[in-house]
Amino acid sequence: MKSQVFTLLRNCLRAAKKCPDDSQRLNMLAYVRARFEAERNLSTPKQVKDAMQKAQAEVDQMNYYHNLREQKEVEGEEKRKQSERDLDSKNYESGPRIQCEYSNINSKLIIMGSSTPLQGVAAVVDLVGSYGELVAVRCSNRHAEIEFLNADDAQKAAKMLNRRD
């Protein structure tokens, strides 16, 4: 029974270490240690077995959420790579030329180009959307702005768009 408890403890600690956020990871590690310490002196085999079942259920749940997060990250990376391939493979010579500037002050891409920036925006919104969460898209007769939630995402999208010219 002791070896099963130690195996479960190791599995719990491994699952806790997979948390991507440092503070969340530290909290989960402390939680695992505290739970095992609190139940260290259980007296009957039934109590031990019940505690192990609860702990195993928590490990399974943590691993389930870690797998979902990892799968989402892989899918996001694949979508981003596909967007880059799509951008590289398209012929932009026949379409409007787009000039893209990045503003780190407000996480925006400023797109200038054709007399109707909507054409340019329609050509790139799906592509840059894979780089992060879009907050807003605004168009005027001279330019368009694509605002990202995260400044780093806006900068990556600007580099990708300007690289194709």
Side-chain angles (χ1 to χ4, degrees), residues 76 79-81 83-84 125-132 148 160:
K79 185 176 179 183
R80 186 172 295 123
K81 287 179 182 178
S83 294
E84 288 180 7
V125 163
D126 286 338
L127 296 173
V128 298
S130 67
Y131 278 79
F148 282 80
M160 184 266 301

Side-chain angles (χ1 to χ4, degrees), residues 20-28:
D21 181 62
D22 289 339
S23 65
Q24 190 179 35
R25 183 174 36 258
L26 293 174
N27 285 337
M28 289 304 296

Side-chain angles (χ1 to χ4, degrees), residues 71-85 130:
Q71 187 176 22
K72 190 174 182 179
E73 289 172 355
V74 167
E75 289 171 357
E77 186 62 28
E78 287 173 359
K79 185 176 179 183
R80 186 172 295 123
K81 287 179 182 178
Q82 183 61 45
S83 294
E84 288 180 7
R85 285 192 297 271
S130 67

Side-chain angles (χ1 to χ4, degrees), residues 6-74:
F6 285 125
T7 299
L8 183 57
L9 175 59
R10 279 194 304 273
N11 289 340
C12 288
L13 292 172
R14 282 185 193 123
K17 287 178 183 179
K18 287 183 181 180
C19 292
D21 181 62
D22 289 339
S23 65
Q24 190 179 35
R25 183 174 36 258
L26 293 174
N27 285 337
M28 289 304 296
L29 289 168
Y31 171 77
V32 167
R33 289 183 183 110
R35 283 291 302 268
F36 272 84
E37 187 62 36
E39 297 183 5
R40 176 183 222 162
N41 297 320
L42 295 177
S43 56
T44 67
K46 173 138 177 55
Q47 290 175 324
V48 173
K49 184 177 179 180
D50 289 346
M52 287 180 63
Q53 286 175 342
K54 286 179 185 177
Q56 185 61 53
E58 289 186 29
V59 169
D60 292 343
Q61 187 175 18
M62 278 195 289
N63 285 329
Y64 172 77
Y65 287 117
H66 290 314
N67 289 336
L68 283 179
R69 178 186 45 80
E70 289 166 0
Q71 187 176 22
K72 190 174 182 179
E73 289 172 355
V74 167

Side-chain angles (χ1 to χ4, degrees), residues 87 90 92 94-100 109-129 134 137-146 157 160-161 164-165:
L87 186 63
K90 288 184 179 176
Y92 285 95
S94 60
R97 298 301 291 167
I98 298 169
Q99 182 182 355
C100 181
L109 295 182
I110 311 297
I111 299 175
M112 296 160 282
S114 68
S115 59
T116 57
L118 281 175
Q119 291 172 336
V121 172
V124 296
V125 163
D126 286 338
L127 296 173
V128 298
L134 300 180
V137 177
R138 293 183 269 302
C139 295
S140 72
N141 62 348
R142 301 212 183 259
H143 72 280
E145 295 178 355
I146 300 175
M160 184 266 301
L161 286 171
R164 66 170 178 73
D165 285 333

